[in-house]
Amino acid sequence: MLREKSQLTMRNVVIIGSGCAGNTAAIYTARAGLQPLVVIGHEPGGQLSITSEVENFPGFPEGVLGPQLVENMKQQALKFGAEYIDGRVLEADLSKRPFRLLIEEQWVETRTLIVASGASARWLGLPSEQKLIGHGVSSCATCDGFFYRGKKIMVIGGGDTAMEEAIFLTRFGESVTIVHRRDEFRASKFMLERARHNPKIRFIANAVVEEVYDLEKGVVTGALLRNVRTGEKWREDVDGFFLAIGHIPNTKPFVGQLDLDPEGYIISHGGARTNIVGVFHAGDVQDRVYRQAITASGAGCMAAIEAERFLEAEGH
């Protein structure tokens, strides 16, 4: 049930999310004179806000800090006339146009909508883990694997993603340890066998992580593990700690309206289009495969061009 309107304003474009996808969409739509409204969301800057150095984004031969990269994009969008607003979309009515969005306590109407709200990594929820994100704790092997050349790496998870990330990390690490809470793995037989036949990978089954060290040093040095069957605890020395237990797409306000797959990712209807005319997708909220800053930015560009052409065809 939609809450009673407290305030209503009309926009040409509302962009949900302020990561690479959302900021790039903002740059393009603002430059087209559409004065987009960007809803910053619950994770300002998206996944890059919790990343340290980014070395694979084109145009930065010396690398760039993740938070600085998204801030640069935001400033570029602001320069062209984009407007940013704190908060999250709590409710949405996409049943007719203009669409209606409840952003915290404010209702907004918009002719088009770009959903770039991303997908949040699943974490273990340990205080030490959270404080060491970007200092040895990561949820993206492709992004951060390079920093662990010759180092000991630990991967948490038991599905295909965990196997893929572990195999990828063997290109850099001296050794990779996969830790899984059960003795049976969700990974496909093919991926599991590939990992088991890699001489750099070892498995620790029936174990959970109880602590990530070392907060005092401000960098990952090891992990405290506990055998779920025997209760035995021990320390494993590691330099890199990678979570591969999945992501949660931020699509809750659109359940029952946008076409979503069983895990909540937006199903694309070609290009950047969704099943609802005038609503477009961009970035990790739809992309479960690549999850890179550059692909998210590309998707933001696509969604912006779709929205611009859509509005132009309607005479706006």
Side-chain angles (χ1 to χ4, degrees):
M1 180 69 67
L2 288 166
R3 303 179 193 180
E4 185 179 348
K5 291 188 285 187
S6 57
Q7 184 179 350
L8 202 60
T9 57
M10 172 65 77
R11 311 297 298 220
N12 282 316
V13 186
V14 170
I15 300 165
I16 303 173
S18 57
C20 289
N23 283 331
T24 303
I27 291 168
Y28 273 77
T29 52
R31 194 166 179 269
L34 297 176
Q35 298 178 309
L37 176 67
V38 183
V39 184
I40 290 174
H42 72 283
E43 197 169 54
Q47 293 289 303
L48 278 192
S49 65
I50 56 172
T51 302
S52 51
E53 192 165 7
V54 179
E55 293 190 326
N56 55 4
F57 198 92
F60 295 90
E62 303 303 320
V64 59
L65 294 176
Q68 186 62 57
L69 179 58
V70 287
E71 180 62 23
N72 289 351
M73 292 182 186
K74 178 182 177 181
Q75 292 303 318
Q76 194 171 354
L78 288 168
K79 170 188 170 185
F80 291 122
E83 180 184 345
Y84 284 72
I85 183 172
D86 286 320
R88 298 177 296 163
V89 172
L90 302 179
E91 298 180 30
D93 180 3
L94 309 182
S95 62
K96 60 183 182 298
R97 297 183 60 233
F99 307 121
R100 296 200 307 148
L101 305 169
L102 180 62
I103 304 168
E104 300 302 333
E105 298 303 319
Q106 178 183 4
W107 281 98
V108 171
E109 284 190 339
T110 181
R111 297 183 177 96
T112 61
L113 176 65
I114 295 175
V115 183
S117 46
S120 301
R122 293 182 189 273
W123 302 100
L124 298 177
L126 301 171
S128 56
E129 165 207 53
Q130 295 297 299
K131 291 178 181 177
L132 290 171
I133 291 173
H135 301 279
V137 172
S138 172
S139 63
C140 181
T142 310
C143 310
D144 299 327
F146 178 83
F147 299 112
Y148 299 95
R149 286 190 177 278
K151 305 287 187 180
K152 294 179 180 179
I153 300 171
M154 180 174 287
V155 174
I156 311 302
D160 277 354
T161 299
M163 303 306 136
E164 289 169 6
E165 301 243 311
I167 292 166
F168 175 80
L169 289 166
T170 60
R171 302 181 189 181
F172 309 103
E174 170 193 298
S175 63
V176 177
T177 301
I178 297 175
V179 176
H180 186 47
R181 60 189 174 185
R182 293 188 288 268
D183 55 7
E184 293 184 0
F185 292 84
R186 292 177 289 104
S188 63
K189 183 178 179 182
F190 173 75
M191 288 304 303
L192 189 57
E193 287 305 306
R194 276 191 64 194
R196 281 179 168 156
H197 283 93
N198 190 307
K200 282 191 173 183
I201 295 177
R202 72 179 180 119
F203 288 80
I204 298 178
N206 298 309
V208 294
V209 179
E210 296 218 325
E211 192 74 65
V212 182
Y213 301 116
D214 187 334
L215 277 180
E216 288 188 4
K217 295 181 179 177
V219 65
V220 170
T221 62
L224 177 66
L225 303 185
R226 174 175 60 83
N227 186 295
V228 296
R229 291 184 173 177
T230 66
E232 176 194 0
K233 295 184 180 182
W234 73 100
R235 175 188 170 118
E236 290 279 337
D237 290 334
V238 294
D239 306 291
F241 187 87
F242 287 80
L243 276 296
I245 53 178
H247 288 73
I248 305 168
N250 301 313
T251 52
K252 186 177 179 182
F254 310 111
V255 172
Q257 301 185 82
L258 292 181
D259 284 351
L260 308 175
D261 71 12
E263 292 182 36
Y265 288 90
I266 293 175
I267 297 173
S268 181
H269 284 252
R273 295 182 292 278
T274 70
N275 60 298
I276 297 178
V277 174
V279 179
F280 308 98
H281 61 71
D284 288 6
V285 75
Q286 185 273 328
D287 174 18
R288 57 163 67 238
V289 178
Y290 301 104
R291 303 183 186 284
Q292 298 300 297
I294 189 64
T295 53
S297 285
C301 167
M302 291 167 60
I305 291 173
E306 293 263 20
E308 180 186 351
R309 291 175 177 172
F310 180 82
L311 289 168
E312 185 178 7
E314 290 202 333
H316 295 293

